[in-house]
Amino acid sequence: DRLLPASVRGARADVLRRARLLLGLCSVLVVCALAGIPSLVVQEAWVEVAVILGAIVVSLSIPALLRITGSLSVAGNVLAAIVYVLCGGMSLAATGAGGDLWLPYLALMPAIAVVIAGRRSGTVWAAIGLLHVAASFVLLESGFEPIYRIPQAQTIPAGYQGAAILIAIFWGL
């Protein structure tokens, strides 16, 4: 709790719970991102490594952002944006546009936003995720070539799964 601003520590139990969850999610994101770097280094995917390292730095600065602004909404939306940069960017770089292994993870954006920042933020991030999925399928159909190719048999089912998850979250909000 020492990473939390005094205004949050003295707030209602729900606000304190959301702030603690925010810090926990930042920690999980950093650990997961660090765990993914070795495989990208082996593939010599230096741009992706740089993006992940940037996302780690921003994730580590979220507690400071929360202390400065005192706003869970701002901090929660920044965390959702980091997830979008990571998952959305990787979906285009790693397997090209369309159904791929990264699209299902776009469902994390509205989930994080609704839990930390509120229902309105969750709805906005769900819409952004749906637009990304739609744009990905359009790019796939137009012949967009990815930087790193994963066999098509592995990518299409995950894309449909990601779209279904995002639609379910969007309608559930």
Side-chain angles (χ1 to χ4, degrees):
D1 283 356
R2 62 184 169 82
L3 293 175
L4 300 175
S7 61
V8 171
R9 280 183 290 200
R12 299 184 334 258
D14 176 60
V15 172
L16 185 58
R17 178 192 57 79
R18 290 188 299 138
R20 288 176 176 156
L21 184 59
L22 173 72
L23 296 180
L25 289 172
C26 288
S27 301
V28 168
L29 188 136
V30 168
V31 169
C32 290
L34 285 172
I37 289 177
S39 67
L40 293 171
V41 169
V42 168
Q43 297 173 39
E44 297 180 2
W46 304 117
V47 172
E48 288 78 7
V49 169
V51 170
I52 288 175
L53 290 174
I56 289 170
V57 169
V58 174
S59 295
L60 291 173
S61 70
I62 286 178
L65 176 68
L66 182 60
R67 276 194 306 272
I68 291 167
T69 65
S71 172
L72 280 171
S73 181
V74 170
N77 281 305
V78 168
L79 184 58
I82 292 168
V83 170
Y84 178 70
V85 167
L86 287 173
C87 298
M90 293 299 229
S91 77
L92 293 176
T95 57
D100 65 73
L101 301 175
W102 284 95
L103 287 179
Y105 295 104
L106 289 175
L108 292 172
M109 297 177 324
I112 289 169
V114 77
V115 169
I116 304 297
R119 185 176 178 176
R120 184 176 300 160
S121 291
T123 302
V124 169
W125 283 108
I128 290 169
L130 286 171
L131 289 172
H132 182 92
V133 170
S136 294
F137 281 112
V138 168
L139 287 172
L140 178 67
E141 292 301 316
S142 68
F144 177 79
E145 286 295 321
I147 298 170
Y148 307 103
R149 173 70 64 189
I150 291 177
Q152 192 70 13
Q154 295 177 6
T155 62
I156 293 297
Y160 288 120
Q161 178 186 10
I165 291 169
L166 283 166
I167 290 169
I169 289 173
F170 187 75
W171 286 112
L173 297 174

